[in-house]
């Protein structure tokens, strides 16, 4: 369907304007993108000779398609040649129809190519090795401007590994002399994934990240958390990373306690979860002593918390309950079991697995009171429904074992509907 523009009225209009006010301007067919059917802003031609708007064909190719949308021919390459002649014709048409409210299409910026990115990566590496902070700042400004122009530019920068070169700067420049430059580098790294993981794991880089985490600048702390989250997710040796970050537990706790933004809180929970998984029981005990359990339960009780935040909070809670001190802390809080039961089948499959696993750790092993309380808040019925709907093998095994022990108390305990909230639960001391 052709795009239509109606003339915009403004101020006084003469007789001719009044006649033209009802006219519709139809976009010529050869000015329309075959994919979006909209006026092309940046026409480019493929090897098949068909011209598309750059944004539309980029989306087509990014989706994994390898054919020309019009001819259905397999593309020998994905080169896009700007069709300058057609663009000038479109711009002239826009000028001719200005009186009808058609705005001129600005001349688009030419996207960067891999050769330009490779060149700037080499120059950045040389500037970092030479300790030339002025040159690094100049190149970083150019990189950031390229990234702002289009998603295509940003993808090209990331694919060529610009993030790894910026990470090298964190290891080589000192915080005392080059703090502002390092902050800018860190900010740029938040969109430069995947990063050079090997360079991120260097002791000097990790020390720099730790200093940002424990600093007073909230923006830099946020950026450091986002970068570290990606590192831990993609690293095949999380233990060495965590070892280089020892001492940041209280900072992470404070980020959860006094949130910077939802995205940062979620990233922080991911970091804590990985730290617990790859470390010994002392790490879990450290977070228990700081009071992390109460913060996790606050997130889960909060009706405005996102599903992602709840999912990550439940994963951390489950990992915390893997230690004896964690289980004692969880059992000592009156909200733990009611919340775990309520969240079963309410958030996501992964969250349900975490809930069942946490209940299994807290209630079994001689904790008769825990089993009784779980039955009282409806755990028996929810676990039965879970088994009927189906779940992962490990979750099924734990749910079956919980049902076996809970069955003894089903006829002896007055049950409450956990979906009704926690008004009947006594607040923890």
């Amino acid at each position: 369907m052709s795009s239509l523009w109606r003339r915009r009225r403004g101020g006084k209009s003469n007789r001719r304007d009044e006649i033209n006010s009802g006219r519709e301007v139809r976009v010529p067919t050869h000015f329309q993108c075959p994919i979006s059917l909209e006026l092309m802003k940046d026409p480019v031609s493929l090897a098949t000779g068909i011209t598309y708007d750059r944004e539309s064909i980029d989306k087509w190719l990014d989706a994994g398609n390898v054919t020309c949308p019009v001819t259905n021919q397999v593309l020998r390459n994905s080169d896009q040649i700007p069709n300058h002649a057609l663009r000038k014709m479109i711009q002239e048409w826009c000028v001719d129809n200005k009186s009808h409210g058609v705005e001129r299409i600005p001349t688009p910026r030419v996207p960067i190519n891999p050769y330009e990115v490779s060149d700037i990566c080499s120059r950045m590496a040389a500037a970092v090795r030479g300790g030339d902070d002025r040159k690094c700042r100049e190149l970083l400004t150019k990189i950031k401007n390229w990234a702002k122009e289009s998603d295509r530019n940003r993808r090209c920068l990331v694919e060529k590994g610009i993030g790894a070169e910026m990470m090298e700067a964190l290891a080589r420049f000192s915080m005392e002399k080059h703090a502002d430059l390092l902050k800018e580098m860190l900010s740029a790294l938040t969109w430069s994934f995947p990063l050079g993981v090997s360079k991120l794991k260097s002791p000097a880089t990790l020390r720099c990240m730790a200093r940002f985490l424990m600093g007073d600048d909230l923006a830099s702390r946020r950026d450091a958390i986002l970068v570290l989250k990606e590192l831990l997710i993609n690293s095949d040796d999380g233990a060495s990373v965590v070892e280089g970050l020892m001492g940041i537990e209280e900072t992470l706790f404070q980020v959860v306690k006094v949130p910077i933004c939802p995205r940062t809180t979620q990233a922080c929970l991911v970091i804590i979860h990985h730290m617990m998984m790859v470390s010994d029981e002392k790490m879990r005990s450290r977070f228990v002593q700081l009071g992390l359990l109460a913060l996790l339960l606050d997130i889960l009780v909060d009706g405005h918390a996102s599903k992602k935040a709840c999912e990550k909070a439940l994963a951390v809670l489950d990992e915390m309950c893997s230690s004896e001190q964690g289980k004692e802390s969880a059992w000592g809080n009156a909200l733990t079991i009611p919340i775990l039961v309520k969240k079963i089948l309410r958030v996501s499959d992964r969250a349900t697995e975490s809930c069942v696993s946490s209940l299994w750790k807290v209630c079994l092993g001689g904790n008769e009171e825990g089993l009784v309380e779980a039955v009282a808040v409806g755990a028996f019925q929810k676990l039965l429904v879970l088994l009927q709907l189906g779940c992962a093998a490990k979750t099924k095994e734990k749910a079956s074992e919980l049902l076996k022990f809970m069955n003894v108390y089903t006829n002896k305990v007055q049950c409450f509907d956990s979906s009704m909230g926690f008004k009947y639960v006594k607040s923890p001391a």
Side-chain angles (χ1 to χ4, degrees):
M1 180 178 181
S2 300
S3 299
L4 303 176
W5 278 268
R6 292 185 180 275
R7 180 184 174 281
R8 299 174 182 171
R9 294 179 180 272
K12 297 182 180 179
S13 57
N14 55 31
R15 174 81 176 168
R16 181 180 178 183
D17 289 336
E18 292 174 357
I19 293 173
N20 289 338
S21 64
R23 290 181 55 188
E24 294 180 343
V25 180
R26 187 174 297 275
V27 180
T29 304
H30 57 289
F31 289 173
Q32 298 173 21
C33 173
I35 297 176
S36 67
L37 301 182
E38 298 290 337
L39 183 69
M40 288 186 282
K41 299 177 181 179
D42 187 8
V44 293
S45 299
L46 299 186
T48 56
I50 307 298
T51 298
Y52 302 91
D53 188 61
R54 189 188 296 275
E55 183 180 356
S56 297
I57 195 61
D58 276 345
K59 290 180 180 179
W60 170 266
L61 297 174
D62 289 343
N65 298 297
V66 294
T67 59
C68 173
V70 172
T71 66
N72 206 33
Q73 295 178 7
V74 176
L75 296 170
R76 298 189 302 273
N77 58 65
S78 59
D79 293 345
Q80 300 173 16
I81 303 173
N83 192 329
H84 296 299
L86 181 57
R87 175 180 53 75
K88 290 179 180 178
M89 291 173 61
I90 292 173
Q91 289 176 326
E92 290 173 358
W93 177 84
C94 291
V95 172
D96 292 341
N97 289 276
K98 182 179 179 180
S99 61
H100 301 297
V102 180
E103 296 181 0
R104 183 180 182 277
I105 301 297
T107 302
R109 292 179 178 272
V110 178
I112 58 175
N113 58 59
Y115 307 105
E116 290 176 295
V117 178
S118 296
D119 176 64
I120 205 167
C121 282
S122 299
R123 291 162 62 192
M124 175 68 80
V128 170
R129 286 195 301 270
D132 190 343
D133 61 336
R134 185 191 61 80
K135 189 65 176 178
C136 283
R137 194 184 298 275
E138 177 185 316
L139 294 172
L140 181 59
T141 299
K142 189 171 186 178
I143 290 168
K144 291 167 72 173
N145 289 336
W146 275 349
K148 288 178 182 178
E149 287 178 6
S150 67
D151 290 337
R152 177 189 177 91
N153 282 0
R154 185 173 296 190
R155 287 196 300 271
C156 189
L157 288 164
V158 171
E159 288 168 2
K160 287 297 179 179
I162 194 65
E165 301 304 333
M166 289 190 288
M167 283 306 310
E168 187 69 20
L170 296 186
R172 288 182 176 266
F173 287 107
S174 68
M175 184 75 79
E176 289 75 14
K177 296 181 180 179
H178 311 284
D180 291 339
L181 172 62
L182 294 179
K183 287 179 182 179
E184 291 183 35
M185 289 283 187
L186 185 63
S187 177
L189 283 170
T190 58
W191 54 261
S192 302
F193 307 120
L195 302 169
V197 173
S198 60
K199 293 184 178 181
L200 262 172
K201 290 192 294 186
S202 70
T205 303
L206 292 175
R207 283 196 298 270
C208 181
M209 299 292 288
R211 291 190 65 176
F212 275 123
L213 275 172
M214 294 185 286
D216 296 328
D217 189 321
L218 292 182
S220 297
R221 188 184 300 178
R222 175 201 62 206
D223 294 339
I225 287 172
L226 295 176
V227 172
L228 280 175
K229 184 203 76 170
E230 293 296 327
L231 168 62
L232 285 169
I233 288 176
N234 296 295
S235 176
D236 55 358
D237 185 16
S240 63
V241 177
V242 171
E243 185 178 350
L245 295 171
M246 294 299 289
I248 67 167
E249 298 89 347
E250 187 168 353
T251 299
L252 296 174
F253 170 79
Q254 290 298 330
V255 171
V256 178
K257 184 177 181 180
V258 185
I260 300 173
C261 66
R263 185 185 177 197
T264 307
T265 301
Q266 293 174 31
C268 192
L269 290 173
V270 172
I271 295 173
I272 292 172
H273 184 239
H274 277 267
M275 291 179 73
M276 288 183 176
M277 285 196 302
V278 302
S279 301
D280 54 22
E281 190 163 330
K282 290 182 180 179
M283 180 67 71
R284 300 186 185 93
S285 299
R286 175 63 176 147
F287 282 111
V288 172
Q289 293 166 3
L290 287 169
L292 181 62
L293 177 73
L295 299 185
L296 297 175
L297 296 177
D298 286 342
I299 292 173
L300 296 170
V301 170
D302 183 5
H304 300 291
S306 66
K307 286 189 175 182
K308 288 185 178 180
C310 289
E311 185 178 281
K312 291 171 175 57
L314 286 166
V316 174
L317 178 57
D318 180 37
E319 195 63 40
M320 187 180 293
C321 289
S322 297
S323 68
E324 289 301 321
Q325 192 172 358
K327 282 192 288 187
E328 291 177 7
S329 178
W331 169 238
N333 193 304
L335 289 173
T336 302
I337 291 179
I339 288 176
L340 290 174
V341 174
K342 181 177 181 178
K343 295 299 180 182
I344 294 175
L345 300 174
R346 291 285 295 272
V347 181
S348 66
D349 291 341
R350 182 172 296 180
T352 295
E353 291 173 8
S354 297
C355 289
V356 174
S357 179
S358 298
L359 280 173
W360 183 80
K361 292 171 183 175
V362 173
C363 294
L364 296 188
N367 189 351
E368 183 177 352
E369 292 182 22
L371 290 168
V372 171
E373 183 178 355
V375 171
V377 295
F380 190 84
Q381 291 83 355
K382 277 210 166 184
L383 292 174
L384 283 175
V385 173
L386 175 62
L387 292 180
Q388 290 173 349
L389 294 175
C391 54
K394 288 184 178 180
T395 303
K396 182 178 181 181
E397 182 180 343
K398 291 176 181 177
S400 299
E401 190 172 356
L402 282 167
L403 286 170
K404 175 183 175 182
F405 284 93
M406 288 180 184
N407 189 47
V408 179
Y409 307 100
T410 53
N411 296 324
K412 303 177 182 179
V413 178
Q414 181 182 0
C415 297
F416 298 89
D417 184 358
S418 63
S419 65
M420 298 301 291
F422 310 107
K423 293 180 180 180
Y424 58 88
V425 179
K426 294 181 180 179
S427 299

